[in-house]
Amino acid sequence: AAGGPLEVVALEPFFELYRSQAEGLGAVLRSVPMSFDPATHAFSLDVQALARALGPRTAALIVNSPHNPTGKVFEAWEMRAIADLVRQHPDLCVISDEVYKFMVYDPPEDADEADADSPV
């Protein structure tokens, strides 16, 4: 392709198979690190970093929620931010990897109380 290979953008950390799939299509995988908060042990979308990564060579954006390997489920504000960025790139293809969508496990609200009463 004129101007170099097309790019596929994935949020990092990512399922390593994405890289070989992109390369198999003649594209380059471009990763965008998510932010990690050590206090909450949680990843979050870095909207500015994703915005910087999307450009004229970007053919696809892979969105994986629940996310592999972190288990993160993107919050509504994060999904809206992704949608807003995608609207700015009308030729961008979004690949929604939802292989784990039925495997979201929320602990019961009283999980801490149950742990306090546990003899183990």
Side-chain angles (χ1 to χ4, degrees):
L6 294 177
E7 297 176 343
V8 174
V9 173
L11 300 171
E12 184 179 354
F14 56 84
F15 183 45
E16 191 58 38
L17 185 61
Y18 295 159
R19 182 182 315 280
S20 61
Q21 290 172 329
E23 291 171 356
L25 294 170
V28 173
L29 185 77
R30 183 170 187 182
S31 64
V32 177
M34 287 192 288
S35 299
F36 181 73
D37 182 350
T40 61
H41 296 29
F43 285 91
S44 63
L45 177 67
D46 183 336
V47 178
Q48 290 77 26
L50 180 56
R52 286 189 303 271
L54 301 177
R57 303 296 313 149
T58 309
L61 168 64
I62 301 172
V63 178
N64 178 221
S65 183
H67 189 264
N68 181 7
T70 68
K72 178 201 179 22
V73 176
F74 285 101
E75 296 183 32
W77 72 265
E78 292 170 309
M79 296 301 280
R80 282 192 299 272
I82 291 169
D84 290 343
L85 290 172
V86 168
R87 284 187 200 96
Q88 296 173 30
H89 301 273
D91 295 328
L92 179 64
C93 175
V94 175
I95 301 169
S96 182
D97 183 349
E98 301 174 22
V99 69
Y100 299 111
K101 76 178 186 177
F102 295 113
M103 297 178 68
V104 176
Y105 304 101
D106 291 326
E109 290 183 17
D110 59 352
D112 290 337
E113 293 172 21
D115 287 346
D117 294 336
S118 173
V120 179

